Amino acid sequence: LTSYATLLAFIAIGLYYMFSGRGGEYDVGYVIESISPYTFACTGIAAAMFLSVLGASWGMFITGVSILGGGVKAPRIKTKNLVSVIFCEAVAIYGIIIAIILVQNIDAASEDGWNRENNYAVNCYNGYCL
């Protein structure tokens, strides 16, 4: 039911744009060009930090469960398995460091270089790749 409503909404919006003379605005390329490249850069930085912390927390969960399970059967192995928890913490710290480094690399675009026709594609490519 939800997918049919979404499809109907896309068709209705598309027909509205087509009959109102703004059919060129109902395009994926138009939407991507209208979004600032800094939005994609900041989204990538946030994803790098979020996914590294999420992966580290998942790793700590898995290793913590195995340490507790192994500690019940053999109490002497509890301290030996703490190295894996330290590695999981290192993954989170590395992700945060990478996010900080990427934030430092975002610079403001100059208006004179942005408006030139030959630099537009290069600037868009650099912004989307960052």
Side-chain angles (χ1 to χ4, degrees), residues 14-59:
L15 289 174
Y16 171 74
Y17 274 110
M18 186 174 69
F19 291 130
S20 65
R22 298 182 337 186
E25 294 178 12
Y26 194 69
D27 183 23
V28 176
Y30 177 80
V31 171
I32 289 176
E33 282 188 2
S34 65
I35 296 173
S36 172
Y38 298 111
T39 303
F40 290 110
C42 292
T43 303
I45 291 168
M49 191 164 58
F50 169 74
L51 292 174
S52 70
V53 172
L54 182 71
S57 65
W58 182 256

Side-chain angles (χ1 to χ4, degrees), residues 1 18 21 28 32 51-52 56 61 67 75 78 80 87-89 99 110 128:
L1 180 67
M18 186 174 69
V28 176
I32 289 176
L51 292 174
S52 70
F61 170 71
I67 288 171
K78 277 193 274 190
K80 293 179 183 178
F87 284 137
C88 290
E89 290 176 6
S110 62
Y128 295 138

Side-chain angles (χ1 to χ4, degrees), residues 4 7 9 17 19 33-34 37 39 58 63 69 71 75 84 98 103 107 125:
Y4 289 123
L7 181 64
Y17 274 110
F19 291 130
E33 282 188 2
S34 65
T39 303
W58 182 256
T63 56
S84 57
I98 292 297
V103 165
D107 294 330
Y125 178 76

Side-chain angles (χ1 to χ4, degrees), residues 53-119:
V53 172
L54 182 71
S57 65
W58 182 256
M60 281 189 225
F61 170 71
I62 296 296
T63 56
V65 169
S66 68
I67 288 171
L68 287 176
V72 170
K73 293 184 178 181
R76 67 184 181 280
I77 66 169
K78 277 193 274 190
T79 57
K80 293 179 183 178
N81 286 335
L82 288 178
V83 175
S84 57
V85 174
I86 294 170
F87 284 137
C88 290
E89 290 176 6
V91 167
I93 292 170
Y94 291 150
I96 292 170
I97 290 171
I98 292 297
I100 291 170
I101 290 171
L102 288 176
V103 165
Q104 297 297 323
N105 288 334
I106 296 178
D107 294 330
S110 62
E111 290 295 326
D112 58 345
W114 181 259
N115 291 331
R116 289 190 205 142
E117 192 63 36
N118 58 350
N119 287 338

